[in-house]
Coordinates of all heavy atoms in Angstrom, one line a residue:
Chain B
V82 N 92.0 89.9 93.9 CA 92.7 88.7 94.2 C 93.5 88.4 92.9 O 93.0 88.6 91.7 CB 91.9 87.5 94.6 CG1 91.4 87.7 96.0 CG2 90.7 87.3 93.6
G83 N 94.7 87.9 93.1 CA 95.6 87.6 91.9 C 95.2 86.2 91.3 O 94.5 85.4 91.9
Q84 N 95.7 86.0 90.1 CA 95.4 84.8 89.4 C 95.9 83.5 90.1 O 95.3 82.4 90.0 CB 96.1 84.8 88.0 CG 95.5 83.9 87.0 CD 95.3 84.7 85.6 OE1 95.7 85.8 85.5 NE2 94.6 84.1 84.7
D85 N 97.0 83.7 90.9 CA 97.6 82.6 91.7 C 96.6 82.1 92.7 O 96.4 80.8 92.9 CB 98.9 83.0 92.4 CG 98.7 84.3 93.2 OD1 97.9 85.1 92.8 OD2 99.3 84.4 94.2
V86 N 95.9 83.0 93.4 CA 94.9 82.6 94.4 C 93.8 81.8 93.6 O 93.3 80.8 94.1 CB 94.3 83.8 95.1 CG1 93.2 83.3 96.1 CG2 95.4 84.6 95.8
Y87 N 93.4 82.3 92.5 CA 92.3 81.7 91.7 C 92.7 80.3 91.3 O 92.0 79.3 91.5 CB 92.1 82.5 90.4 CG 91.4 81.7 89.4 CD1 90.1 81.2 89.5 CD2 92.0 81.5 88.2 CE1 89.5 80.5 88.5 CE2 91.4 80.7 87.1 CZ 90.1 80.2 87.4 OH 89.4 79.6 86.4
R88 N 94.0 80.1 90.9 CA 94.4 78.7 90.5 C 94.4 77.8 91.7 O 94.0 76.6 91.5 CB 95.8 78.8 89.9 CG 95.8 79.5 88.5 CD 97.0 79.1 87.6 NE 97.0 80.0 86.5 CZ 97.9 81.1 86.5 NH1 98.7 81.3 87.5 NH2 97.9 81.9 85.5
A89 N 94.9 78.3 92.8 CA 94.9 77.4 94.0 C 93.5 77.1 94.4 O 93.2 75.9 94.8 CB 95.6 78.1 95.1
L90 N 92.6 78.0 94.4 CA 91.2 77.8 94.8 C 90.5 76.8 93.8 O 89.7 75.9 94.2 CB 90.4 79.0 94.9 CG 88.9 78.9 95.3 CD1 88.8 78.4 96.7 CD2 88.2 80.3 95.3
K91 N 90.8 77.0 92.5 CA 90.1 76.2 91.5 C 90.4 74.7 91.7 O 89.5 73.9 91.4 CB 90.6 76.6 90.1 CG 89.7 76.2 89.0 CD 90.0 76.8 87.7 CE 89.1 76.1 86.6 NZ 87.6 76.5 86.8
K92 N 91.6 74.4 92.2 CA 91.9 73.0 92.4 C 90.9 72.4 93.4 O 90.5 71.2 93.4 CB 93.3 72.8 92.9 CG 94.3 72.9 91.8 CD 95.8 72.8 92.3 CE 96.7 73.4 91.2 NZ 98.0 73.8 91.8
Q93 N 90.5 73.2 94.4 CA 89.6 72.6 95.4 C 88.1 72.9 95.0 O 87.2 72.1 95.5 CB 89.9 73.3 96.7 CG 91.4 73.1 97.1 CD 91.8 73.7 98.4 OE1 91.0 73.6 99.4 NE2 92.9 74.3 98.5
C94 N 87.8 73.9 94.3 CA 86.5 74.2 94.0 C 86.4 74.4 92.4 O 86.5 75.5 91.9 CB 86.0 75.5 94.6 SG 86.2 75.5 96.4
P95 N 86.4 73.4 91.7 CA 86.6 73.5 90.2 C 85.6 74.4 89.5 O 86.0 75.0 88.4 CB 86.4 72.0 89.7 CG 86.5 71.2 90.9 CD 86.0 72.0 92.1
G96 N 84.5 74.7 90.1 CA 83.5 75.6 89.4 C 83.8 77.1 89.4 O 83.2 77.8 88.7
V97 N 84.8 77.5 90.2 CA 85.0 79.0 90.3 C 85.6 79.5 89.0 O 86.3 78.8 88.3 CB 85.9 79.3 91.4 CG1 85.3 78.9 92.8 CG2 87.3 78.7 91.3
K98 N 85.3 80.7 88.7 CA 85.7 81.4 87.5 C 86.6 82.7 87.9 O 86.4 83.2 89.0 CB 84.6 81.8 86.6 CG 84.0 80.6 85.9 CD 82.8 81.0 85.0 CE 82.0 79.7 84.7 NZ 80.6 80.0 84.5
Y99 N 87.3 83.2 86.9 CA 88.2 84.3 87.2 C 88.0 85.3 86.1 O 88.1 85.0 84.9 CB 89.6 83.9 87.3 CG 90.5 85.0 87.8 CD1 90.5 85.5 89.0 CD2 91.5 85.5 86.9 CE1 91.3 86.4 89.5 CE2 92.4 86.5 87.4 CZ 92.3 86.9 88.7 OH 93.2 87.9 89.1
E100 N 87.9 86.6 86.4 CA 87.8 87.7 85.4 C 89.1 88.5 85.6 O 89.2 89.3 86.6 CB 86.5 88.5 85.7 CG 86.5 89.8 84.9 CD 86.8 89.7 83.4 OE1 86.1 89.0 82.7 OE2 87.9 90.2 82.9

Side-chain angles (χ1 to χ4, degrees):
Chain B
V82 286
Q84 202 133 9
D85 53 327
V86 178
Y87 161 64
R88 287 206 196 96
L90 181 60
K91 196 169 177 65
K92 283 180 195 154
Q93 305 181 39
C94 309
V97 298
K98 285 176 196 153
Y99 188 68
E100 169 49 64

